[in-house]
Amino acid sequence: SVRALGSRAVLAKARGELARAEELHRRAIERAESASDLDPITRELQRSNYASFLVESGRPEEALALLAS
């Protein structure tokens, strides 16, 4: 599920597995955007979590672009 992928991404980041965390964040967003029955709050939460990851990874421009899209 989208939430499970997002949770796994957060855990991967906490373990220092940054490449894996990014992959999971991207997959969560892809699924969230393609799921027509997903509530908008969950969809935006995934985008927000990934944006936070990007900022913490020193990529604030990417985070802003993600949130602006």
Side-chain angles (χ1 to χ4, degrees):
S1 77
V2 170
R3 289 182 184 174
L5 282 171
S7 294
R8 289 173 51 202
V10 171
L11 289 173
K13 182 190 174 294
R15 287 185 292 231
E17 301 169 1
L18 301 182
R20 179 72 175 146
E22 182 159 10
E23 174 192 343
L24 291 167
H25 276 301
R26 288 179 184 262
R27 286 178 48 201
I29 289 172
E30 288 172 8
R31 282 199 191 165
E33 290 177 351
S34 66
S36 60
D37 61 338
L38 189 68
D39 66 280
I41 293 171
T42 299
R43 185 175 293 114
E44 291 307 312
L45 178 62
Q46 299 309 314
R47 293 166 55 90
S48 175
N49 286 346
Y50 183 39
S52 293
F53 171 84
L54 290 170
V55 169
E56 292 171 9
S57 299
R59 297 156 53 193
E61 296 83 12
E62 290 179 59
L64 287 172
L66 173 67
L67 295 175
S69 64

